[in-house]
Amino acid sequence: MAWVTVPGSNNIWEYENTATVANTYPDSADGANVTISNGIRTFTFADGNAQQIYIRCRKAGETTERGELSKTYYDAQ
């Protein structure tokens, strides 16, 4: 298990890069359009566009987990 800084977050956020489906909502990995790898859930829409989510996050320097963050959003920063 490793907590890694979320790129584009100005070192505010970290995600756990070995998080699995057990660390997210049970139905969030159902369906052929969803994959989970390296702590990131990817959902691919019918038109081919993808939305990526860091599934286990916290603020840097803290131990309290805060939920999920959009990787797609932070990649655009």
Side-chain angles (χ1 to χ4, degrees), residues 3 5 7-8 12 20 25-26 28 31-32 34-35 39 42 46 50 55 57-62 67 69 71-72 77:
W3 289 95
T5 301
I12 295 171
T20 66
Y25 305 103
S28 68
V34 177
T35 59
T42 303
I55 59 176
C57 302
R58 68 181 186 188
K59 285 191 169 181
E62 296 184 3
L69 289 173
K71 180 180 187 307
T72 304
Q77 301 305 303

Side-chain angles (χ1 to χ4, degrees), residues 3-69:
W3 289 95
V4 180
T5 301
V6 172
S9 73
N10 293 323
N11 297 316
I12 295 171
W13 292 103
E14 296 177 332
Y15 76 100
E16 206 273 283
N17 67 357
T18 61
T20 66
V21 68
N23 302 111
T24 189
Y25 305 103
D27 61 348
S28 68
D30 290 346
N33 296 340
V34 177
T35 59
I36 295 178
S37 178
N38 300 321
I40 300 166
R41 181 177 63 241
T42 303
F43 178 82
T44 304
F45 295 92
D47 65 3
N49 288 326
Q51 173 74 35
Q52 293 187 301
I53 303 291
Y54 295 112
I55 59 176
R56 191 174 182 191
C57 302
R58 68 181 186 188
K59 285 191 169 181
E62 296 184 3
T63 58
T64 303
E65 292 181 31
R66 303 295 179 113
E68 300 183 344
L69 289 173

